[in-house]
Amino acid sequence: MPHSPEDIRELRRVHAASEARLLRDRHAPARLPEEQAFYERYAAGRPWFEGPVPLLPVAQLYARDVPLPARPAGTDLLQVLWCPYGHGASEPRTALFWRSAATITDTLDALPEPAVVEEDGYLPRPCVLAPEEITEYPGLRELDEETQAELADESRWEAAGARWDEDGALDPHEYWSGRLSTAPGWKTGGWTTWDLTDPEPRPCPTCGTEQIPLLTIASSEWDDATEGWRPAEYSAHDRPDDPSEPTLVDIRGGYTLQLHVCPTSPDHPHLQIME
Protein backbone atom coordinates (compact mmCIF):
# COMPACT_ATOMS: atom_id res chain seq x y z
CA MET A 1 0.00 0.00 0.00
CA PRO A 2 1.58 3.32 -1.05
CA HIS A 3 2.32 6.18 1.34
CA SER A 4 3.75 9.64 0.86
CA PRO A 5 7.38 10.20 1.90
CA GLU A 6 6.22 12.56 4.67
CA ASP A 7 3.80 9.89 5.95
CA ILE A 8 6.71 7.47 6.21
CA ARG A 9 8.90 10.00 8.03
CA GLU A 10 6.08 10.70 10.47
CA LEU A 11 5.63 6.96 11.04
CA ARG A 12 9.30 6.71 11.96
CA ARG A 13 9.03 9.69 14.32
CA VAL A 14 6.00 8.14 16.03
CA HIS A 15 7.79 4.79 16.36
CA ALA A 16 10.86 6.46 17.85
CA ALA A 17 8.78 8.49 20.32
CA SER A 18 6.88 5.39 21.45
CA GLU A 19 10.05 3.34 21.93
CA ALA A 20 11.75 6.14 23.88
CA ARG A 21 8.68 6.57 26.10
CA LEU A 22 8.52 2.84 26.90
CA LEU A 23 12.25 2.79 27.57
CA ARG A 24 11.77 5.48 30.21
CA ASP A 25 8.67 3.86 31.68
CA ARG A 26 7.62 0.34 30.73
CA HIS A 27 4.11 1.09 32.04
CA ALA A 28 3.69 4.06 29.72
CA PRO A 29 1.06 3.78 26.96
CA ALA A 30 2.37 2.28 23.74
CA ARG A 31 0.35 4.81 21.76
CA LEU A 32 -0.93 8.23 22.71
CA PRO A 33 -4.33 9.27 21.29
CA GLU A 34 -2.76 11.46 18.62
CA GLU A 35 -0.39 8.62 17.67
CA GLN A 36 -3.30 6.19 17.36
CA ALA A 37 -5.08 8.69 15.11
CA PHE A 38 -2.00 8.89 12.91
CA TYR A 39 -1.76 5.09 12.64
CA GLU A 40 -5.36 4.95 11.49
CA ARG A 41 -4.71 7.58 8.81
CA TYR A 42 -1.53 5.80 7.77
CA ALA A 43 -3.30 2.45 7.39
CA ALA A 44 -5.64 4.00 4.83
CA GLY A 45 -2.69 4.66 2.51
CA ARG A 46 -2.54 7.04 -0.43
CA PRO A 47 -3.81 6.74 -4.00
CA TRP A 48 -1.37 5.66 -6.69
CA PHE A 49 0.17 8.48 -8.67
CA GLU A 50 -0.11 8.61 -12.46
CA GLY A 51 2.68 10.32 -14.36
CA PRO A 52 6.49 10.65 -14.21
CA VAL A 53 7.95 9.42 -10.93
CA PRO A 54 11.31 10.70 -9.59
CA LEU A 55 13.77 8.01 -8.57
CA LEU A 56 14.84 7.89 -4.92
CA PRO A 57 18.53 8.37 -4.02
CA VAL A 58 20.01 5.31 -2.33
CA ALA A 59 23.77 5.90 -2.17
CA GLN A 60 26.40 8.40 -3.29
CA LEU A 61 29.92 6.99 -3.21
CA TYR A 62 33.22 8.70 -4.02
CA ALA A 63 36.25 6.72 -5.17
CA ARG A 64 38.37 8.66 -2.66
CA ASP A 65 36.36 7.12 0.18
CA VAL A 66 35.54 3.58 -0.95
CA PRO A 67 36.79 1.22 -3.68
CA LEU A 68 34.55 1.28 -6.73
CA PRO A 69 35.51 -1.77 -8.79
CA ALA A 70 35.53 -1.48 -12.57
CA ARG A 71 34.39 2.14 -12.74
CA PRO A 72 34.35 3.82 -16.17
CA ALA A 73 37.39 5.89 -17.10
CA GLY A 74 37.18 9.51 -16.01
CA THR A 75 34.64 8.89 -13.24
CA ASP A 76 35.13 9.07 -9.49
CA LEU A 77 31.54 9.20 -8.26
CA LEU A 78 28.77 6.61 -8.24
CA GLN A 79 25.17 7.58 -7.61
CA VAL A 80 22.68 4.76 -7.02
CA LEU A 81 18.94 5.39 -7.28
CA TRP A 82 15.90 3.16 -7.35
CA CYS A 83 12.26 3.31 -8.30
CA PRO A 84 9.82 3.79 -5.37
CA TYR A 85 7.44 1.31 -7.01
CA GLY A 86 8.06 -2.42 -7.07
CA HIS A 87 6.54 -3.04 -10.52
CA GLY A 88 5.51 -6.49 -9.33
CA ALA A 89 9.15 -7.52 -8.77
CA SER A 90 10.51 -8.94 -5.54
CA GLU A 91 12.91 -6.02 -5.10
CA PRO A 92 13.16 -2.39 -6.23
CA ARG A 93 14.71 -1.62 -9.61
CA THR A 94 18.03 0.20 -9.35
CA ALA A 95 19.81 2.64 -11.66
CA LEU A 96 23.55 3.45 -11.63
CA PHE A 97 25.00 6.81 -12.64
CA TRP A 98 28.80 7.10 -12.99
CA ARG A 99 29.99 10.71 -12.90
CA SER A 100 33.01 12.94 -12.45
CA ALA A 101 32.67 14.99 -9.28
CA ALA A 102 34.62 17.86 -10.83
CA THR A 103 31.95 18.37 -13.48
CA ILE A 104 29.12 18.80 -10.96
CA THR A 105 28.80 22.51 -10.38
CA ASP A 106 25.06 23.08 -9.98
CA THR A 107 23.25 21.19 -7.24
CA LEU A 108 19.63 21.18 -6.12
CA ASP A 109 18.67 22.64 -2.75
CA ALA A 110 15.96 19.98 -2.42
CA LEU A 111 15.74 16.71 -4.31
CA PRO A 112 12.47 15.91 -6.11
CA GLU A 113 10.39 13.27 -4.35
CA PRO A 114 7.71 10.91 -5.63
CA ALA A 115 4.14 11.54 -4.53
CA VAL A 116 3.96 8.05 -3.01
CA VAL A 117 6.33 5.19 -2.16
CA GLU A 118 5.20 1.57 -2.33
CA GLU A 119 7.07 0.36 0.78
CA ASP A 120 8.34 2.41 3.72
CA GLY A 121 11.63 0.49 3.50
CA TYR A 122 12.18 1.96 0.03
CA LEU A 123 12.71 5.45 1.51
CA PRO A 124 16.29 5.58 2.84
CA ARG A 125 16.96 7.73 5.88
CA PRO A 126 19.87 10.06 5.02
CA CYS A 127 23.10 9.25 6.84
CA VAL A 128 26.84 9.75 6.41
CA LEU A 129 29.05 6.77 5.72
CA ALA A 130 31.99 5.85 7.93
CA PRO A 131 33.82 3.38 5.63
CA GLU A 132 35.97 0.66 7.14
CA GLU A 133 38.18 -1.68 5.13
CA ILE A 134 37.81 -5.34 6.10
CA THR A 135 38.91 -8.74 4.82
CA GLU A 136 36.24 -11.31 4.07
CA TYR A 137 36.26 -14.74 2.44
CA PRO A 138 33.87 -16.64 0.17
CA GLY A 139 30.80 -18.22 1.70
CA LEU A 140 30.65 -22.01 2.08
CA ARG A 141 28.49 -22.40 -1.02
CA GLU A 142 31.30 -20.97 -3.17
CA LEU A 143 33.95 -23.36 -1.82
CA ASP A 144 34.69 -26.72 -3.42
CA GLU A 145 34.04 -29.94 -1.49
CA GLU A 146 37.72 -30.44 -0.66
CA THR A 147 38.04 -26.99 0.92
CA GLN A 148 34.79 -27.47 2.83
CA ALA A 149 36.13 -30.75 4.21
CA GLU A 150 39.36 -29.07 5.28
CA LEU A 151 37.41 -26.37 7.09
CA ALA A 152 35.36 -29.02 8.91
CA ASP A 153 38.52 -30.74 10.18
CA GLU A 154 38.80 -29.61 13.80
CA SER A 155 42.41 -30.81 14.03
CA ARG A 156 43.44 -28.22 11.44
CA TRP A 157 42.00 -25.44 13.60
CA GLU A 158 43.75 -26.83 16.68
CA ALA A 159 47.09 -27.04 14.84
CA ALA A 160 46.70 -23.41 13.82
CA GLY A 161 45.91 -22.39 17.40
CA ALA A 162 42.47 -21.10 16.42
CA ARG A 163 39.34 -21.59 18.52
CA TRP A 164 36.36 -22.05 16.24
CA ASP A 165 34.07 -22.77 19.24
CA GLU A 166 34.90 -19.69 21.33
CA ASP A 167 31.71 -17.90 20.28
CA GLY A 168 29.32 -20.81 20.71
CA ALA A 169 29.47 -22.05 17.13
CA LEU A 170 28.20 -25.62 16.76
CA ASP A 171 30.84 -26.58 14.19
CA PRO A 172 33.70 -24.98 12.22
CA HIS A 173 31.43 -24.37 9.24
CA GLU A 174 29.10 -22.27 11.38
CA TYR A 175 32.06 -20.30 12.71
CA TRP A 176 33.34 -19.72 9.17
CA SER A 177 29.94 -18.50 7.97
CA GLY A 178 29.30 -16.22 10.93
CA ARG A 179 32.77 -14.80 11.54
CA LEU A 180 35.05 -15.10 8.52
CA SER A 181 33.15 -15.29 5.27
CA THR A 182 30.89 -12.69 3.66
CA ALA A 183 30.32 -9.69 5.91
CA PRO A 184 26.77 -8.46 6.56
CA GLY A 185 25.66 -4.89 5.97
CA TRP A 186 26.25 -2.33 3.24
CA LYS A 187 29.55 -2.80 1.41
CA THR A 188 31.35 -2.23 -1.88
CA GLY A 189 33.21 -5.05 -3.60
CA GLY A 190 33.89 -8.20 -1.61
CA TRP A 191 32.23 -11.54 -2.25
CA THR A 192 28.67 -12.29 -3.28
CA THR A 193 26.50 -13.55 -0.45
CA TRP A 194 24.58 -16.76 -1.23
CA ASP A 195 22.37 -17.26 1.81
CA LEU A 196 19.26 -18.61 0.11
CA THR A 197 20.41 -20.12 -3.17
CA ASP A 198 23.43 -21.89 -4.59
CA PRO A 199 25.93 -19.76 -6.51
CA GLU A 200 24.92 -19.18 -10.10
CA PRO A 201 26.58 -17.55 -13.12
CA ARG A 202 26.22 -13.79 -13.48
CA PRO A 203 26.99 -13.16 -17.17
CA CYS A 204 26.84 -9.62 -18.44
CA PRO A 205 23.67 -9.22 -20.53
CA THR A 206 25.69 -7.41 -23.22
CA CYS A 207 29.03 -9.24 -23.56
CA GLY A 208 28.70 -12.36 -21.41
CA THR A 209 31.61 -11.51 -19.08
CA GLU A 210 31.10 -12.72 -15.53
CA GLN A 211 29.97 -9.73 -13.50
CA ILE A 212 31.56 -8.81 -10.16
CA PRO A 213 30.07 -7.42 -6.92
CA LEU A 214 29.79 -3.63 -6.85
CA LEU A 215 27.49 -2.68 -3.98
CA THR A 216 25.48 -4.56 -1.39
CA ILE A 217 22.40 -2.74 -0.10
CA ALA A 218 21.44 -4.34 3.19
CA SER A 219 18.41 -4.20 5.45
CA SER A 220 20.72 -4.10 8.50
CA GLU A 221 24.40 -3.98 9.38
CA TRP A 222 24.36 -6.98 11.69
CA ASP A 223 22.01 -9.22 13.67
CA ASP A 224 22.19 -11.82 16.44
CA ALA A 225 23.51 -14.41 13.98
CA THR A 226 26.42 -12.15 12.98
CA GLU A 227 27.49 -10.98 16.43
CA GLY A 228 31.12 -11.04 15.35
CA TRP A 229 30.52 -8.19 12.93
CA ARG A 230 28.96 -5.86 15.51
CA PRO A 231 31.23 -2.85 16.23
CA ALA A 232 32.89 -3.09 19.62
CA GLU A 233 31.39 0.25 20.73
CA TYR A 234 27.84 -1.13 20.52
CA SER A 235 26.46 -3.51 23.09
CA ALA A 236 23.30 -5.53 22.43
CA HIS A 237 20.88 -3.09 24.12
CA ASP A 238 22.60 0.21 24.72
CA ARG A 239 20.27 2.74 23.07
CA PRO A 240 16.59 3.10 22.13
CA ASP A 241 17.19 3.34 18.39
CA ASP A 242 18.82 0.45 16.56
CA PRO A 243 22.33 1.37 15.35
CA SER A 244 22.31 -1.68 13.09
CA GLU A 245 19.71 -0.01 10.84
CA PRO A 246 21.06 3.49 10.10
CA THR A 247 19.32 3.87 6.73
CA LEU A 248 16.02 2.16 7.65
CA VAL A 249 16.11 0.48 4.24
CA ASP A 250 14.22 -2.80 4.19
CA ILE A 251 14.51 -5.14 1.22
CA ARG A 252 11.32 -7.16 1.34
CA GLY A 253 11.52 -8.05 5.02
CA GLY A 254 15.24 -8.25 5.75
CA TYR A 255 17.00 -9.35 2.55
CA THR A 256 20.01 -7.82 0.80
CA LEU A 257 20.16 -6.41 -2.71
CA GLN A 258 23.53 -7.06 -4.35
CA LEU A 259 24.45 -5.08 -7.45
CA HIS A 260 26.97 -6.55 -9.90
CA VAL A 261 28.73 -4.82 -12.79
CA CYS A 262 30.66 -5.91 -15.85
CA PRO A 263 34.45 -5.65 -15.21
CA THR A 264 35.08 -5.16 -18.94
CA SER A 265 32.63 -2.30 -19.40
CA PRO A 266 30.89 -0.96 -16.27
CA ASP A 267 28.40 0.97 -18.37
CA HIS A 268 26.87 -2.30 -19.54
CA PRO A 269 23.56 -3.15 -17.81
CA HIS A 270 24.16 -4.28 -14.25
CA LEU A 271 22.65 -7.29 -12.50
CA GLN A 272 21.01 -7.38 -9.07
CA ILE A 273 20.56 -10.37 -6.77
CA MET A 274 18.30 -10.51 -3.72
CA GLU A 275 19.46 -12.88 -0.98
Side-chain angles (χ1 to χ4, degrees), residues 6-263:
E6 189 51 45
D7 285 343
I8 295 172
R9 296 188 185 101
E10 181 62 21
L11 175 70
R12 293 170 178 174
R13 287 192 288 266
V14 170
H15 276 166
S18 176
E19 291 175 359
R21 184 169 60 250
L22 291 172
L23 188 65
R24 294 191 301 269
D25 179 5
R26 62 187 180 90
H27 298 295
R31 295 181 182 179
L32 300 177
E34 59 270 23
E35 294 172 345
Q36 179 60 37
F38 166 76
Y39 277 108
E40 293 173 1
R41 294 194 304 271
Y42 185 85
R46 298 276 183 170
W48 287 103
F49 176 77
E50 298 293 337
V53 177
L55 299 180
L56 286 169
V58 177
Q60 179 167 272
L61 306 173
Y62 290 89
R64 66 172 183 261
D65 298 324
V66 296
L68 296 174
R71 56 190 168 98
T75 66
D76 59 359
L77 171 64
L78 171 63
Q79 293 174 324
V80 182
L81 295 87
W82 64 25
C83 181
Y85 298 170
H87 298 282
S90 58
E91 72 273 357
R93 295 179 183 177
T94 54
L96 307 182
F97 297 91
W98 298 94
R99 310 180 69 179
S100 168
T103 64
I104 302 175
T105 56
D106 296 325
T107 59
L108 299 175
D109 292 331
L111 296 177
E113 286 191 332
V116 292
V117 178
E118 182 176 4
E119 302 282 349
D120 62 340
Y122 287 2
L123 183 66
R125 178 173 61 181
C127 65
V128 178
L129 294 174
E132 179 181 7
E133 185 175 357
I134 63 168
T135 299
E136 64 172 16
Y137 299 94
L140 281 173
R141 295 173 187 261
E142 287 212 76
L143 302 177
D144 56 43
E145 293 184 1
E146 181 180 355
T147 304
Q148 290 190 35
E150 291 176 349
L151 284 177
D153 186 350
E154 297 180 12
S155 64
R156 286 178 172 268
W157 293 81
E158 293 173 359
R163 288 287 305 278
W164 60 264
D165 59 345
E166 61 184 354
D167 295 315
L170 298 178
D171 55 55
H173 278 181
E174 182 178 336
Y175 181 79
W176 175 269
S177 297
R179 280 280 192 168
L180 301 177
S181 65
T182 52
W186 290 59
K187 64 182 180 182
T188 59
W191 293 89
T192 303
T193 298
W194 302 101
D195 286 336
L196 304 177
T197 60
D198 289 329
E200 58 185 29
R202 291 146 291 167
C204 173
T206 299
C207 67
T209 303
E210 184 76 0
Q211 295 207 348
I212 60 175
L214 170 67
L215 173 67
T216 297
I217 302 170
S219 296
S220 65
E221 293 300 299
W222 67 84
D223 56 31
D224 291 340
T226 55
E227 182 70 24
W229 295 103
R230 183 193 300 270
E233 60 267 29
Y234 292 126
S235 62
H237 304 287
D238 61 352
R239 48 195 289 182
D241 59 325
D242 189 346
S244 73
E245 299 177 353
T247 65
L248 296 181
V249 162
D250 181 34
I251 308 295
R252 294 296 184 182
Y255 295 96
T256 63
L257 189 61
Q258 303 172 76
L259 309 185
H260 295 69
V261 291
C262 177

